[in-house]
Amino acid sequence: MKKKKQFEQEPPSIDNISEANLFIRELWQKLREYEDRLALNSCNSSKS
């Protein structure tokens, strides 16, 4: 099953600093998830 791409559209329009901060926290969490996945990928590992 192919996963839907999340970044095909333009970024959302943000009207105030509270929305911007929330959006940044969500992106930060997603980035951490991607970094964790890369760290677990056996192709990226130096161990055999």
Side-chain angles (χ1 to χ4, degrees), residues 1-14:
M1 182 175 186
K2 193 171 184 178
K3 206 171 189 182
K4 183 183 175 208
K5 293 183 181 179
Q6 295 180 3
F7 301 106
E8 289 181 340
Q9 301 174 354
E10 292 296 315
S13 176
I14 297 175

Side-chain angles (χ1 to χ4, degrees), residues 2-46:
K2 193 171 184 178
K3 206 171 189 182
K4 183 183 175 208
K5 293 183 181 179
Q6 295 180 3
F7 301 106
E8 289 181 340
Q9 301 174 354
E10 292 296 315
S13 176
I14 297 175
D15 297 326
N16 62 54
I17 193 73
S18 296
E19 288 180 17
N21 284 329
L22 178 61
F23 188 63
I24 290 168
R25 284 193 296 271
E26 290 172 358
L27 289 175
W28 198 265
Q29 179 62 35
K30 186 57 82 174
L31 178 62
R32 289 172 64 189
E33 289 174 17
Y34 290 144
E35 285 182 329
D36 289 346
R37 282 189 205 171
L38 282 173
L40 294 175
N41 187 340
S42 63
C43 295
N44 296 332
S45 175
S46 61

